[in-house]
Amino acid sequence: MRTRVPEFLARGSRTVVLTGAGVSAESGVPTFRGAQGLWQGVRPEELASPAAFAQNPGRVWAWYAWRRDLVRRCRPNPAHQALARLEASLPWFRLVTQNVDGLHTAAGNEQVLELHGSLWKTRCTREGTVKEDRRSTFPEMPPRCPCGALLRPHVVWFGETLAAADMEQALKDAQQAELFLVVGTSGIVQPAASLPGLARAQGAHVVEVNPEPTPLTPMTDESHRGPAAEVLPALLEMENENS
Ligand code: OAD
């Protein structure tokens, strides 16, 4: 594997990692795009939207309850674990994830920016109160806040904007990166997909790990094809030949 990653890591370069659903694929969490992302034949885009929730909150919650049950049984894989070791080994590290599964935190990463929210939090549709809530069966469906209003998953849906503070932080981090790793994302959902290009424009060395080429591939300095659970630990734990 020809790579400059060990060289960047050996000098303690400022490192940002952007992850997508692919990093959790080998933990058993289905990615969004492709047949395995379907739930009862329905695409996530038709469930993860304010319009879908307004029309049928019970159906959207049934999908989230199913995902909570599924993800609860999943464990961090060697890719998550390699990223936890990476954070512990570097003076300046940021992990920006589009995943809502919580597996980076479960693996031991502390600096996790969950750009699309969390499967394990609910938000009151009236008061906006966010609470950690790990249930997948609720006394009533769809679940309600004690104030009487509907609860919704605290995740960013299609057609919604990301929390401004989170996006600002992600942009700031990307601009400071010397090494930028993009792992397991199809690179088509904005604004997360713009982060690697932004980092590269500021001089970062951009490295992709994905079994397939993506729209981000042309703007990377290195692309490594293969499953993250195999490629990432190998990449991050290679000896630096220049040392
Ligand atoms: P996608 O499902 O769009 O893409 C998953 C990516 O992971 C693809 O590029 C696959 O080639 C790659 N992949 C598959 N198996 C892999 C493996 N074992 N190792 C590494 N990569 C692998 O997921 P995201 O890019 O995360 O947003 O999707 C972005 C956003 O779209 C999600 O956060 C979600 C979705 O709609 C919201 O819910 C707002």
Side-chain angles (χ1 to χ4, degrees):
M1 190 188 303
R2 282 181 67 82
T3 176
R4 288 187 61 203
V5 170
E7 177 193 325
F8 278 91
L9 297 183
R11 34 172 211 263
S13 303
R14 288 189 301 277
T15 301
V16 175
V17 183
L18 171 67
T19 63
V23 80
S24 297
E26 282 138 294
S27 294
V29 182
T31 55
F32 289 91
R33 292 176 178 80
Q36 55 160 329
L38 300 180
W39 175 72
Q40 300 185 349
V42 185
R43 291 184 305 131
E45 289 89 335
E46 291 168 45
L47 293 159
S49 76
F53 190 71
Q55 203 185 1
N56 193 341
R59 181 164 173 258
V60 173
W61 262 115
W63 179 53
Y64 276 97
W66 172 80
R67 287 178 65 198
R68 283 174 168 222
D69 257 346
L70 189 156
V71 174
R72 197 189 308 285
R73 291 193 294 269
C74 297
R75 297 287 166 261
N77 68 52
H80 298 107
Q81 288 155 356
L83 291 175
R85 288 193 294 274
L86 184 65
E87 176 173 344
S89 73
L90 285 172
W92 194 103
F93 174 88
R94 303 282 189 267
L95 176 53
V96 181
T97 187
Q98 300 167 85
N99 299 346
V100 297
D101 57 33
L103 289 177
H104 287 304
T105 307
N109 279 109
E110 290 175 5
Q111 287 282 348
V112 188
L113 181 54
E114 290 181 313
L115 219 44
H116 291 170
S118 170
L119 198 53
W120 306 113
K121 290 179 182 164
T122 56
R123 187 164 84 235
C124 173
T125 53
R126 182 188 296 150
E127 301 166 324
T129 325
V130 175
K131 285 197 181 142
E132 185 161 335
D133 182 340
R134 305 185 74 87
R135 294 174 293 173
S136 28
T137 48
F138 297 89
E140 59 174 334
M141 268 299 246
R144 288 183 181 272
C145 175
C147 81
L150 281 179
L151 288 175
R152 58 162 283 176
H154 183 52
V155 297
V156 179
W157 284 334
F158 288 97
E160 295 184 318
T161 47
L162 307 192
D166 288 350
M167 197 54 212
E168 236 169 74
Q169 186 64 53
L171 291 171
K172 215 166 111 192
D173 292 344
Q175 282 166 335
Q176 292 189 76
E178 293 168 296
L179 177 65
F180 193 106
L181 307 177
V182 199
V183 186
T185 178
S186 56
I188 55 176
V189 175
Q190 294 292 356
S194 65
L195 296 173
L198 181 68
R200 193 148 191 260
Q202 306 287 327
H205 186 74
V206 179
V207 178
E208 179 180 60
V209 175
N210 198 307
E212 309 283 338
T214 74
L216 300 176
T217 305
M219 67 178 80
T220 61
D221 296 285
E222 300 177 20
S223 259
H224 299 279
R225 298 274 156 258
E230 284 172 29
V231 175
L232 202 57
L235 194 62
L236 298 180
E237 279 148 34
M238 264 170 91
E239 287 296 320
N240 175 22
E241 287 172 2
N242 301 328
S243 61

Short mmCIF file of all heavy atoms in Angstrom, two decimals, residues 19-27 30-34 36-37 44-45 48 63-64 67 77 79 97-100 115-117 155-160 162 182-190 192 208-215 224-231, ligand 1:
data_model
loop_
_atom_site.label_atom_id
_atom_site.label_comp_id
_atom_site.label_asym_id
_atom_site.label_seq_id
_atom_site.Cartn_x
_atom_site.Cartn_y
_atom_site.Cartn_z
N THR A 19 -16.52 10.34 8.74
CA THR A 19 -17.02 8.98 8.48
C THR A 19 -18.48 9.00 8.03
O THR A 19 -19.23 9.93 8.33
CB THR A 19 -16.91 8.07 9.73
OG1 THR A 19 -17.73 8.59 10.78
CG2 THR A 19 -15.48 7.94 10.21
N GLY A 20 -18.83 7.94 7.30
CA GLY A 20 -20.20 7.73 6.87
C GLY A 20 -20.61 6.29 7.20
O GLY A 20 -19.84 5.55 7.85
N ALA A 21 -21.76 5.91 6.71
CA ALA A 21 -22.35 4.61 7.07
C ALA A 21 -21.42 3.43 6.82
O ALA A 21 -21.48 2.42 7.53
CB ALA A 21 -23.66 4.42 6.30
N GLY A 22 -20.52 3.54 5.83
CA GLY A 22 -19.63 2.43 5.49
C GLY A 22 -18.72 2.00 6.63
O GLY A 22 -18.33 0.84 6.71
N VAL A 23 -18.40 2.94 7.53
CA VAL A 23 -17.49 2.58 8.63
C VAL A 23 -18.17 1.60 9.59
O VAL A 23 -17.51 0.83 10.28
CB VAL A 23 -16.96 3.84 9.36
CG1 VAL A 23 -17.94 4.40 10.34
CG2 VAL A 23 -15.63 3.55 10.06
N SER A 24 -19.50 1.63 9.60
CA SER A 24 -20.25 0.73 10.49
C SER A 24 -20.78 -0.51 9.77
O SER A 24 -21.44 -1.35 10.38
CB SER A 24 -21.42 1.48 11.13
OG SER A 24 -20.97 2.54 11.95
N ALA A 25 -20.49 -0.60 8.46
CA ALA A 25 -21.06 -1.71 7.67
C ALA A 25 -20.65 -3.05 8.26
O ALA A 25 -21.49 -3.96 8.40
CB ALA A 25 -20.62 -1.61 6.21
N GLU A 26 -19.38 -3.17 8.63
CA GLU A 26 -18.94 -4.48 9.14
C GLU A 26 -19.35 -4.74 10.59
O GLU A 26 -19.11 -5.81 11.12
CB GLU A 26 -17.44 -4.63 8.96
CG GLU A 26 -17.14 -4.97 7.52
CD GLU A 26 -15.96 -4.21 7.01
OE1 GLU A 26 -16.04 -2.98 6.90
OE2 GLU A 26 -14.95 -4.86 6.76
N SER A 27 -19.99 -3.75 11.20
CA SER A 27 -20.60 -3.99 12.51
C SER A 27 -22.02 -4.53 12.34
O SER A 27 -22.68 -4.87 13.31
CB SER A 27 -20.67 -2.68 13.31
OG SER A 27 -19.38 -2.23 13.63
N PRO A 30 -26.83 -1.42 8.46
CA PRO A 30 -26.99 -1.26 7.00
C PRO A 30 -26.64 0.16 6.54
O PRO A 30 -26.94 1.12 7.25
CB PRO A 30 -28.49 -1.52 6.78
CG PRO A 30 -29.05 -2.01 8.06
CD PRO A 30 -28.10 -1.66 9.14
N THR A 31 -25.99 0.28 5.39
CA THR A 31 -25.75 1.61 4.81
C THR A 31 -27.10 2.11 4.26
O THR A 31 -28.06 1.36 4.17
CB THR A 31 -24.69 1.56 3.70
OG1 THR A 31 -25.09 0.60 2.74
CG2 THR A 31 -23.32 1.20 4.26
N PHE A 32 -27.14 3.39 3.88
CA PHE A 32 -28.41 3.98 3.45
C PHE A 32 -28.74 3.64 2.01
O PHE A 32 -29.88 3.36 1.67
CB PHE A 32 -28.37 5.51 3.60
CG PHE A 32 -28.40 5.93 5.03
CD1 PHE A 32 -27.22 6.11 5.73
CD2 PHE A 32 -29.59 6.08 5.69
CE1 PHE A 32 -27.24 6.47 7.06
CE2 PHE A 32 -29.62 6.43 7.03
CZ PHE A 32 -28.44 6.62 7.71
N ARG A 33 -27.71 3.71 1.16
CA ARG A 33 -27.99 3.56 -0.27
C ARG A 33 -27.76 2.11 -0.69
O ARG A 33 -26.93 1.43 -0.14
CB ARG A 33 -27.14 4.56 -1.05
CG ARG A 33 -27.66 5.94 -0.72
CD ARG A 33 -26.98 7.14 -1.24
NE ARG A 33 -27.78 8.28 -0.77
CZ ARG A 33 -27.70 8.79 0.46
NH1 ARG A 33 -26.83 8.32 1.32
NH2 ARG A 33 -28.49 9.78 0.82
N GLY A 34 -28.57 1.67 -1.62
CA GLY A 34 -28.50 0.26 -2.02
C GLY A 34 -29.60 -0.51 -1.32
O GLY A 34 -30.24 -0.01 -0.40
N GLN A 36 -29.80 -2.85 0.82
CA GLN A 36 -29.83 -3.17 2.25
C GLN A 36 -30.33 -2.00 3.10
O GLN A 36 -30.64 -2.18 4.28
CB GLN A 36 -28.45 -3.62 2.71
CG GLN A 36 -27.36 -2.64 2.40
CD GLN A 36 -26.14 -2.90 3.29
OE1 GLN A 36 -26.25 -3.34 4.41
NE2 GLN A 36 -24.98 -2.59 2.75
N GLY A 37 -30.41 -0.79 2.50
CA GLY A 37 -30.91 0.37 3.25
C GLY A 37 -32.43 0.41 3.32
O GLY A 37 -33.00 1.22 4.04
N PRO A 44 -34.90 5.14 2.74
CA PRO A 44 -34.77 6.04 3.88
C PRO A 44 -35.24 7.47 3.56
O PRO A 44 -35.84 8.14 4.41
CB PRO A 44 -33.27 6.04 4.18
CG PRO A 44 -32.76 4.77 3.63
CD PRO A 44 -33.64 4.42 2.47
N GLU A 45 -35.02 7.91 2.33
CA GLU A 45 -35.42 9.28 1.95
C GLU A 45 -36.92 9.49 2.13
O GLU A 45 -37.39 10.61 2.30
CB GLU A 45 -35.06 9.57 0.48
CG GLU A 45 -33.57 9.72 0.21
CD GLU A 45 -32.89 8.39 -0.12
OE1 GLU A 45 -33.39 7.33 0.31
OE2 GLU A 45 -31.85 8.43 -0.79
N ALA A 48 -37.13 9.50 6.41
CA ALA A 48 -36.37 10.47 7.19
C ALA A 48 -36.61 11.87 6.66
O ALA A 48 -35.72 12.52 6.13
CB ALA A 48 -34.88 10.12 7.13
N TRP A 63 -39.91 2.73 12.12
CA TRP A 63 -38.62 2.54 11.44
C TRP A 63 -37.47 2.80 12.42
O TRP A 63 -36.52 2.02 12.50
CB TRP A 63 -38.54 3.48 10.22
CG TRP A 63 -37.27 3.40 9.45
CD1 TRP A 63 -36.69 2.27 8.94
CD2 TRP A 63 -36.41 4.49 9.09
NE1 TRP A 63 -35.52 2.60 8.28
CE2 TRP A 63 -35.34 3.94 8.35
CE3 TRP A 63 -36.46 5.87 9.29
CZ2 TRP A 63 -34.30 4.74 7.83
CZ3 TRP A 63 -35.44 6.66 8.78
CH2 TRP A 63 -34.38 6.10 8.05
N TYR A 64 -37.59 3.88 13.19
CA TYR A 64 -36.53 4.18 14.16
C TYR A 64 -36.45 3.13 15.25
O TYR A 64 -35.36 2.77 15.71
CB TYR A 64 -36.68 5.60 14.74
CG TYR A 64 -36.06 6.61 13.81
CD1 TYR A 64 -36.84 7.32 12.90
CD2 TYR A 64 -34.69 6.82 13.80
CE1 TYR A 64 -36.27 8.21 12.01
CE2 TYR A 64 -34.10 7.70 12.92
CZ TYR A 64 -34.89 8.40 12.02
OH TYR A 64 -34.32 9.26 11.13
N ARG A 67 -34.57 0.35 13.81
CA ARG A 67 -33.13 0.65 13.72
C ARG A 67 -32.48 0.62 15.09
O ARG A 67 -31.34 0.16 15.24
CB ARG A 67 -32.93 2.02 13.06
CG ARG A 67 -33.22 1.97 11.57
CD ARG A 67 -33.08 3.32 10.93
NE ARG A 67 -31.71 3.81 10.98
CZ ARG A 67 -31.38 5.10 10.81
NH1 ARG A 67 -32.31 6.00 10.60
NH2 ARG A 67 -30.13 5.47 10.84
N ASN A 77 -16.37 -2.10 15.23
CA ASN A 77 -15.51 -3.04 14.50
C ASN A 77 -14.07 -2.50 14.49
O ASN A 77 -13.80 -1.43 15.02
CB ASN A 77 -16.10 -3.28 13.09
CG ASN A 77 -16.02 -2.04 12.22
OD1 ASN A 77 -14.96 -1.43 12.06
ND2 ASN A 77 -17.15 -1.63 11.65
N ALA A 79 -12.37 -0.90 12.47
CA ALA A 79 -12.20 0.46 11.95
C ALA A 79 -12.50 1.48 13.05
O ALA A 79 -11.73 2.43 13.26
CB ALA A 79 -13.14 0.70 10.75
N THR A 97 -18.71 12.74 12.18
CA THR A 97 -19.42 11.59 11.61
C THR A 97 -20.82 11.98 11.15
O THR A 97 -21.46 12.85 11.74
CB THR A 97 -19.50 10.41 12.62
OG1 THR A 97 -20.05 9.27 11.93
CG2 THR A 97 -20.36 10.73 13.85
N GLN A 98 -21.23 11.33 10.06
CA GLN A 98 -22.61 11.48 9.61
C GLN A 98 -23.47 10.38 10.23
O GLN A 98 -24.67 10.34 10.00
CB GLN A 98 -22.67 11.36 8.08
CG GLN A 98 -21.82 12.39 7.37
CD GLN A 98 -21.66 12.03 5.90
OE1 GLN A 98 -22.51 12.35 5.07
NE2 GLN A 98 -20.59 11.36 5.56
N ASN A 99 -22.84 9.48 10.97
CA ASN A 99 -23.57 8.34 11.52
C ASN A 99 -24.29 8.72 12.81
O ASN A 99 -23.79 9.52 13.60
CB ASN A 99 -22.62 7.18 11.78
CG ASN A 99 -21.95 6.71 10.50
OD1 ASN A 99 -22.40 7.06 9.41
ND2 ASN A 99 -20.90 5.94 10.62
N VAL A 100 -25.42 8.08 13.01
CA VAL A 100 -26.22 8.36 14.20
C VAL A 100 -26.19 7.16 15.15
O VAL A 100 -26.90 7.13 16.15
CB VAL A 100 -27.69 8.71 13.81
CG1 VAL A 100 -27.75 9.97 12.97
CG2 VAL A 100 -28.36 7.55 13.05
N LEU A 115 -22.71 15.02 13.26
CA LEU A 115 -23.28 16.04 12.38
C LEU A 115 -24.76 15.81 12.09
O LEU A 115 -25.51 16.77 11.89
CB LEU A 115 -22.48 16.00 11.07
CG LEU A 115 -22.13 17.28 10.36
CD1 LEU A 115 -21.62 18.35 11.29
CD2 LEU A 115 -21.09 16.98 9.28
N HIS A 116 -25.17 14.56 12.04
CA HIS A 116 -26.58 14.24 11.71
C HIS A 116 -27.39 13.82 12.93
O HIS A 116 -28.47 13.26 12.79
CB HIS A 116 -26.64 13.17 10.61
CG HIS A 116 -26.16 13.67 9.28
ND1 HIS A 116 -25.94 12.84 8.19
CD2 HIS A 116 -25.86 14.92 8.85
CE1 HIS A 116 -25.53 13.58 7.17
NE2 HIS A 116 -25.46 14.83 7.55
N GLY A 117 -26.84 14.07 14.13
CA GLY A 117 -27.58 13.77 15.35
C GLY A 117 -27.34 12.36 15.86
O GLY A 117 -26.35 11.72 15.48
N VAL A 155 -32.42 13.55 15.07
CA VAL A 155 -31.54 13.36 13.91
C VAL A 155 -31.92 14.39 12.85
O VAL A 155 -33.02 14.92 12.87
CB VAL A 155 -31.65 11.93 13.31
CG1 VAL A 155 -31.22 10.87 14.30
CG2 VAL A 155 -33.07 11.67 12.84
N VAL A 156 -30.95 14.63 11.96
CA VAL A 156 -31.21 15.59 10.88
C VAL A 156 -31.84 14.83 9.72
O VAL A 156 -31.30 13.83 9.26
CB VAL A 156 -29.89 16.26 10.43
CG1 VAL A 156 -30.15 17.24 9.29
CG2 VAL A 156 -29.22 16.97 11.61
N TRP A 157 -32.98 15.31 9.28
CA TRP A 157 -33.69 14.64 8.19
C TRP A 157 -33.47 15.36 6.87
O TRP A 157 -33.02 16.52 6.85
CB TRP A 157 -35.21 14.63 8.50
CG TRP A 157 -35.59 13.60 9.53
CD1 TRP A 157 -34.94 12.44 9.81
CD2 TRP A 157 -36.74 13.64 10.39
NE1 TRP A 157 -35.61 11.75 10.79
CE2 TRP A 157 -36.71 12.46 11.17
CE3 TRP A 157 -37.78 14.54 10.58
CZ2 TRP A 157 -37.68 12.17 12.12
CZ3 TRP A 157 -38.75 14.25 11.52
CH2 TRP A 157 -38.70 13.07 12.28
N PHE A 158 -33.81 14.67 5.79
CA PHE A 158 -33.73 15.30 4.47
C PHE A 158 -34.57 16.57 4.48
O PHE A 158 -35.69 16.56 5.00
CB PHE A 158 -34.23 14.34 3.39
CG PHE A 158 -33.25 13.22 3.16
CD1 PHE A 158 -33.43 11.99 3.78
CD2 PHE A 158 -32.13 13.40 2.37
CE1 PHE A 158 -32.52 10.96 3.62
CE2 PHE A 158 -31.21 12.39 2.20
CZ PHE A 158 -31.41 11.17 2.81
N GLY A 159 -34.00 17.61 3.91
CA GLY A 159 -34.72 18.88 3.84
C GLY A 159 -34.50 19.73 5.08
O GLY A 159 -34.97 20.87 5.12
N GLU A 160 -33.80 19.22 6.08
CA GLU A 160 -33.51 20.02 7.27
C GLU A 160 -32.06 20.49 7.23
O GLU A 160 -31.21 19.82 6.64
CB GLU A 160 -33.75 19.19 8.54
CG GLU A 160 -35.20 18.81 8.71
CD GLU A 160 -35.46 18.08 10.02
OE1 GLU A 160 -34.65 17.22 10.40
OE2 GLU A 160 -36.49 18.37 10.65
N LEU A 162 -28.44 21.43 9.13
CA LEU A 162 -27.69 20.98 10.30
C LEU A 162 -27.66 22.09 11.34
O LEU A 162 -27.83 23.26 11.00
CB LEU A 162 -26.24 20.67 9.92
CG LEU A 162 -26.00 19.72 8.76
CD1 LEU A 162 -24.54 19.30 8.73
CD2 LEU A 162 -26.87 18.51 8.85
N VAL A 182 -11.32 10.37 4.77
CA VAL A 182 -12.75 10.23 4.46
C VAL A 182 -13.06 8.75 4.39
O VAL A 182 -12.54 8.05 3.52
CB VAL A 182 -13.10 10.79 3.06
CG1 VAL A 182 -14.60 11.05 2.95
CG2 VAL A 182 -12.30 12.00 2.71
N VAL A 183 -13.88 8.27 5.30
CA VAL A 183 -14.06 6.82 5.42
C VAL A 183 -15.53 6.42 5.27
O VAL A 183 -16.39 6.88 6.04
CB VAL A 183 -13.55 6.32 6.81
CG1 VAL A 183 -13.61 4.80 6.87
CG2 VAL A 183 -12.14 6.82 7.08
N GLY A 184 -15.82 5.59 4.27
CA GLY A 184 -17.14 4.96 4.17
C GLY A 184 -18.30 5.91 3.97
O GLY A 184 -19.37 5.69 4.52
N THR A 185 -18.07 6.94 3.15
CA THR A 185 -19.23 7.79 2.82
C THR A 185 -19.37 7.89 1.31
O THR A 185 -18.37 7.96 0.60
CB THR A 185 -19.14 9.20 3.46
OG1 THR A 185 -20.28 9.96 3.03
CG2 THR A 185 -17.87 9.94 3.11
N SER A 186 -20.64 7.91 0.85
CA SER A 186 -20.88 8.01 -0.59
C SER A 186 -20.59 9.42 -1.09
O SER A 186 -20.51 9.64 -2.29
CB SER A 186 -22.33 7.63 -0.90
OG SER A 186 -23.22 8.43 -0.15
N GLY A 187 -20.45 10.37 -0.17
CA GLY A 187 -20.03 11.71 -0.57
C GLY A 187 -21.05 12.46 -1.39
O GLY A 187 -20.69 13.34 -2.19
N ILE A 188 -22.32 12.15 -1.19
CA ILE A 188 -23.32 12.86 -1.98
C ILE A 188 -24.26 13.70 -1.13
O ILE A 188 -25.08 14.43 -1.66
CB ILE A 188 -24.14 11.89 -2.89
CG1 ILE A 188 -24.76 10.78 -2.07
CG2 ILE A 188 -23.28 11.32 -4.00
CD1 ILE A 188 -25.64 9.87 -2.89
N VAL A 189 -24.14 13.57 0.20
CA VAL A 189 -25.05 14.34 1.04
C VAL A 189 -24.32 15.58 1.58
O VAL A 189 -23.30 15.47 2.26
CB VAL A 189 -25.62 13.48 2.19
CG1 VAL A 189 -26.45 14.30 3.14
CG2 VAL A 189 -26.48 12.35 1.61
N GLN A 190 -24.85 16.72 1.21
CA GLN A 190 -24.26 17.99 1.64
C GLN A 190 -24.84 18.41 2.98
O GLN A 190 -25.94 17.99 3.30
CB GLN A 190 -24.53 19.09 0.59
CG GLN A 190 -23.85 18.86 -0.74
CD GLN A 190 -22.33 18.96 -0.68
OE1 GLN A 190 -21.75 19.30 0.37
NE2 GLN A 190 -21.67 18.64 -1.77
N ALA A 192 -21.87 17.80 4.49
CA ALA A 192 -20.71 17.00 4.91
C ALA A 192 -19.77 16.72 3.74
O ALA A 192 -18.54 16.76 3.88
CB ALA A 192 -21.20 15.68 5.52
N GLU A 208 -8.95 8.76 1.04
CA GLU A 208 -10.27 8.10 1.08
C GLU A 208 -10.12 6.59 1.33
O GLU A 208 -9.22 5.96 0.78
CB GLU A 208 -10.98 8.31 -0.26
CG GLU A 208 -12.35 7.66 -0.34
CD GLU A 208 -13.04 7.90 -1.68
OE1 GLU A 208 -12.49 7.50 -2.73
OE2 GLU A 208 -14.14 8.48 -1.67
N VAL A 209 -11.02 6.07 2.15
CA VAL A 209 -11.11 4.61 2.32
C VAL A 209 -12.54 4.20 2.00
O VAL A 209 -13.49 4.62 2.67
CB VAL A 209 -10.77 4.19 3.77
CG1 VAL A 209 -10.99 2.68 3.97
CG2 VAL A 209 -9.33 4.57 4.12
N ASN A 210 -12.70 3.42 0.94
CA ASN A 210 -14.04 3.03 0.49
C ASN A 210 -13.87 1.89 -0.51
O ASN A 210 -12.97 1.95 -1.33
CB ASN A 210 -14.73 4.24 -0.19
CG ASN A 210 -16.23 4.08 -0.29
OD1 ASN A 210 -16.74 3.08 -0.80
ND2 ASN A 210 -16.97 5.06 0.19
N PRO A 211 -14.72 0.87 -0.47
CA PRO A 211 -14.59 -0.20 -1.46
C PRO A 211 -14.88 0.27 -2.88
O PRO A 211 -14.45 -0.35 -3.85
CB PRO A 211 -15.63 -1.25 -1.04
CG PRO A 211 -16.16 -0.82 0.27
CD PRO A 211 -15.80 0.61 0.50
N GLU A 212 -15.63 1.39 -3.00
CA GLU A 212 -16.05 1.88 -4.32
C GLU A 212 -15.52 3.29 -4.54
O GLU A 212 -15.39 4.05 -3.58
CB GLU A 212 -17.59 2.00 -4.38
CG GLU A 212 -18.36 0.77 -3.97
CD GLU A 212 -18.35 -0.28 -5.04
OE1 GLU A 212 -18.12 0.08 -6.20
OE2 GLU A 212 -18.56 -1.46 -4.70
N PRO A 213 -15.29 3.66 -5.81
CA PRO A 213 -15.00 5.07 -6.07
C PRO A 213 -16.24 5.92 -5.76
O PRO A 213 -17.36 5.42 -5.84
CB PRO A 213 -14.68 5.13 -7.57
CG PRO A 213 -14.96 3.79 -8.12
CD PRO A 213 -15.32 2.84 -7.02
N THR A 214 -16.04 7.16 -5.37
CA THR A 214 -17.16 8.06 -5.04
C THR A 214 -16.93 9.40 -5.74
O THR A 214 -15.84 9.63 -6.28
CB THR A 214 -17.23 8.32 -3.52
OG1 THR A 214 -16.17 9.21 -3.17
CG2 THR A 214 -17.14 7.05 -2.71
N PRO A 215 -17.92 10.29 -5.70
CA PRO A 215 -17.70 11.62 -6.30
C PRO A 215 -16.55 12.37 -5.63
O PRO A 215 -16.03 13.33 -6.18
CB PRO A 215 -19.03 12.34 -6.05
CG PRO A 215 -20.03 11.26 -5.81
CD PRO A 215 -19.29 10.11 -5.21
N HIS A 224 -7.96 4.38 -1.08
CA HIS A 224 -7.69 2.98 -0.76
C HIS A 224 -9.00 2.20 -0.84
O HIS A 224 -9.97 2.54 -0.16
CB HIS A 224 -7.06 2.85 0.62
CG HIS A 224 -5.75 3.58 0.71
ND1 HIS A 224 -4.58 3.04 0.24
CD2 HIS A 224 -5.45 4.82 1.14
CE1 HIS A 224 -3.60 3.92 0.41
NE2 HIS A 224 -4.10 5.01 0.95
N ARG A 225 -9.00 1.20 -1.70
CA ARG A 225 -10.23 0.44 -1.97
C ARG A 225 -10.30 -0.78 -1.06
O ARG A 225 -9.38 -1.61 -1.08
CB ARG A 225 -10.25 -0.04 -3.41
CG ARG A 225 -10.24 1.04 -4.45
CD ARG A 225 -11.64 1.53 -4.77
NE ARG A 225 -11.54 2.89 -5.29
CZ ARG A 225 -11.81 3.98 -4.57
NH1 ARG A 225 -12.25 3.88 -3.33
NH2 ARG A 225 -11.66 5.18 -5.08
N GLY A 226 -11.38 -0.89 -0.32
CA GLY A 226 -11.56 -2.08 0.50
C GLY A 226 -12.41 -1.74 1.70
O GLY A 226 -12.72 -0.56 1.93
N PRO A 227 -12.83 -2.74 2.45
CA PRO A 227 -13.64 -2.49 3.63
C PRO A 227 -12.84 -1.77 4.72
O PRO A 227 -11.66 -2.10 4.95
CB PRO A 227 -14.07 -3.88 4.09
CG PRO A 227 -13.26 -4.86 3.32
CD PRO A 227 -12.60 -4.17 2.19
N ALA A 228 -13.49 -0.80 5.35
CA ALA A 228 -12.81 0.02 6.35
C ALA A 228 -12.21 -0.81 7.48
O ALA A 228 -11.13 -0.51 7.98
CB ALA A 228 -13.79 1.04 6.92
N ALA A 229 -12.90 -1.88 7.88
CA ALA A 229 -12.42 -2.67 9.02
C ALA A 229 -11.09 -3.35 8.72
O ALA A 229 -10.34 -3.70 9.63
CB ALA A 229 -13.46 -3.71 9.43
N GLU A 230 -10.78 -3.52 7.42
CA GLU A 230 -9.48 -4.09 7.06
C GLU A 230 -8.48 -2.99 6.73
O GLU A 230 -7.35 -2.98 7.20
CB GLU A 230 -9.61 -4.99 5.84
CG GLU A 230 -10.24 -6.33 6.16
CD GLU A 230 -10.54 -7.12 4.89
OE1 GLU A 230 -9.84 -6.95 3.88
OE2 GLU A 230 -11.52 -7.89 4.94
N VAL A 231 -8.92 -2.06 5.86
CA VAL A 231 -7.98 -1.07 5.31
C VAL A 231 -7.54 -0.06 6.37
O VAL A 231 -6.36 0.28 6.46
CB VAL A 231 -8.63 -0.33 4.11
CG1 VAL A 231 -7.73 0.79 3.62
CG2 VAL A 231 -8.95 -1.30 3.00
P1 OAD B 1 -24.29 5.85 2.15
O1 OAD B 1 -25.16 4.67 2.41
O2 OAD B 1 -24.75 6.87 1.18
O3 OAD B 1 -22.87 5.36 1.61
C1 OAD B 1 -22.15 4.37 2.25
C2 OAD B 1 -20.76 4.33 1.65
O4 OAD B 1 -20.02 3.36 2.36
C3 OAD B 1 -20.70 3.95 0.17
O5 OAD B 1 -19.82 4.83 -0.51
C4 OAD B 1 -20.13 2.53 0.19
O6 OAD B 1 -19.32 2.25 -0.95
C5 OAD B 1 -19.28 2.58 1.45
N1 OAD B 1 -19.07 1.28 2.08
C6 OAD B 1 -19.84 0.16 2.04
N2 OAD B 1 -19.29 -0.82 2.77
C7 OAD B 1 -18.14 -0.32 3.29
C8 OAD B 1 -17.12 -0.84 4.13
N3 OAD B 1 -17.17 -2.09 4.58
N4 OAD B 1 -16.08 -0.03 4.44
C9 OAD B 1 -16.02 1.24 3.98
N5 OAD B 1 -16.94 1.78 3.19
C10 OAD B 1 -18.00 1.01 2.84
O7 OAD B 1 -23.94 6.48 3.56
P2 OAD B 1 -23.44 7.94 3.93
O8 OAD B 1 -22.44 8.43 2.95
O9 OAD B 1 -23.06 7.91 5.36
O10 OAD B 1 -28.11 11.31 6.35
O11 OAD B 1 -24.76 8.75 3.77
C11 OAD B 1 -24.74 10.08 4.11
C12 OAD B 1 -26.04 10.47 4.73
O12 OAD B 1 -27.12 10.10 3.88
C13 OAD B 1 -26.38 9.75 6.03
O13 OAD B 1 -25.79 10.31 7.17
C14 OAD B 1 -27.84 9.92 6.11
C15 OAD B 1 -28.17 9.53 4.68
O14 OAD B 1 -29.33 9.99 4.25
C16 OAD B 1 -29.17 11.66 7.07
O15 OAD B 1 -29.89 10.84 7.61
C17 OAD B 1 -29.34 13.14 7.16
#
